[in-house]
Amino acid sequence: MLSSQQLTDLIKKGKGEAKERKFNEAVEVILTLREVDAKKADLNVNETVYLPHPTSKVARICFIGAGDMALRAKNAKVDAVIDPSRLESLAGDKKEAKKVARSYDFFLADTALMPRIGKILGQSLGPRGKIPIPVPPNAPIEAMIQRMRTAIRVRSRGSLGIAAKVGERKLSDSELAENVLAVVQAVEKKLPQGEKNIKSVIVKTSMGKPVKQAVGQS
């Protein structure tokens, strides 16, 4: 895999391909893959990646549950709480269920409600890779919510390219390189042959030209 210095140099080159804008451009990484079948189960990447240096976009989080855990989630400034009665109201309303699925980046849920959530929201959350993370009764939900604010979702979408926003231009080259490395390491773990399945790393700003570094080459 590329070294930290190679990734830093790639970021610097990517920034250099785009002139300074009046807004803070996003920086994106694209991993191209090899020797995997995009249409088969050997390419099933749906990872929550906690970036060392958060982007300006704060993840929106919804908690599904009630009681003390819901109160703790509210106190931790979760974006929304869906209690059991609200959950049941979504059972016959596919349009509203899809709206809920689109509205939040991540879902947390009381472990006891997971079977019911699967039946009611599974068809809306599953295809988006947003199945809730189960939260046991004594789990530190406050810490979970705060940590997930810095997270991004990295998914394969039936192609040999996996893209993710890793920050904005205002971050330093080394900070962006660390974010790219976090994404690469998360993806590697889900590939049949790990880093051998990564063909190249591409970096670009939202308005700039892509720059590519083949893996295994200088």
Side-chain angles (χ1 to χ4, degrees):
M1 181 42 61
L2 302 182
S3 67
S4 295
Q5 186 58 55
Q6 285 177 308
L7 289 174
T8 300
D9 291 343
L10 188 63
I11 294 289
K12 185 178 296 184
K13 186 176 180 181
K15 284 183 176 180
E17 289 293 331
K19 64 181 181 180
E20 291 280 355
R21 307 283 175 173
K22 293 183 179 180
F23 62 96
N24 193 21
E25 282 187 276
V27 178
E28 182 180 30
V29 64
I30 304 162
L31 306 180
T32 63
L33 308 179
R34 59 188 166 199
E35 298 179 14
V36 290
D37 190 333
K39 297 181 180 180
K40 292 186 178 180
D42 60 357
L43 183 56
N44 182 23
V45 178
N46 180 25
E47 294 298 291
T48 299
V49 180
Y50 301 96
L51 298 177
H53 307 283
T55 72
S56 62
K57 180 183 181 297
V58 178
R60 288 179 55 78
I61 303 165
C62 176
F63 174 72
I64 305 175
D68 178 66
M69 201 179 301
L71 180 60
R72 287 164 52 202
K74 288 179 181 178
N75 289 339
K77 308 299 183 184
V78 74
D79 294 286
V81 171
I82 295 177
D83 63 25
S85 62
R86 167 67 170 147
L87 177 65
E88 292 299 328
S89 74
L90 297 172
D93 193 339
K94 291 184 178 180
K95 183 177 180 180
E96 187 63 20
K98 289 181 179 179
K99 180 180 177 181
V100 168
R102 290 193 303 268
S103 297
Y104 305 98
D105 299 299
F106 297 100
F107 289 81
L108 301 173
D110 185 336
T111 304
L113 288 175
M114 288 297 290
R116 193 63 184 149
I117 293 169
K119 290 181 180 179
I120 296 174
L121 293 176
Q123 290 186 343
S124 299
L125 297 178
R128 293 174 171 82
K130 295 184 179 182
I131 295 300
I133 297 171
V135 183
N138 296 321
I141 190 169
E142 299 87 351
M144 293 176 70
I145 290 169
Q146 291 308 310
R147 189 176 185 219
M148 295 198 77
R149 294 292 188 193
T150 70
I152 61 170
R153 189 179 302 281
V154 178
R155 297 183 66 197
S156 56
R157 299 176 183 272
S159 71
L160 291 178
I162 298 176
K165 177 184 172 183
V166 292
E168 291 84 25
R169 193 182 183 110
K170 67 179 181 180
L171 291 177
S172 70
D173 298 341
S174 60
E175 288 173 334
L176 286 166
E178 289 177 15
N179 284 357
V180 170
L181 184 60
V183 171
V184 171
Q185 290 175 338
V187 171
E188 281 181 354
K189 293 176 182 178
K190 302 298 291 186
L191 298 175
Q193 299 180 67
E195 68 178 62
K196 292 181 180 179
N197 291 129
I198 298 179
K199 182 179 180 180
S200 65
V201 178
I202 299 170
V203 170
K204 69 179 295 294
T205 64
S206 53
M207 301 293 287
K209 296 179 181 179
V211 295
K212 179 169 69 173
Q213 175 67 59
V215 173
Q217 300 180 19
S218 58

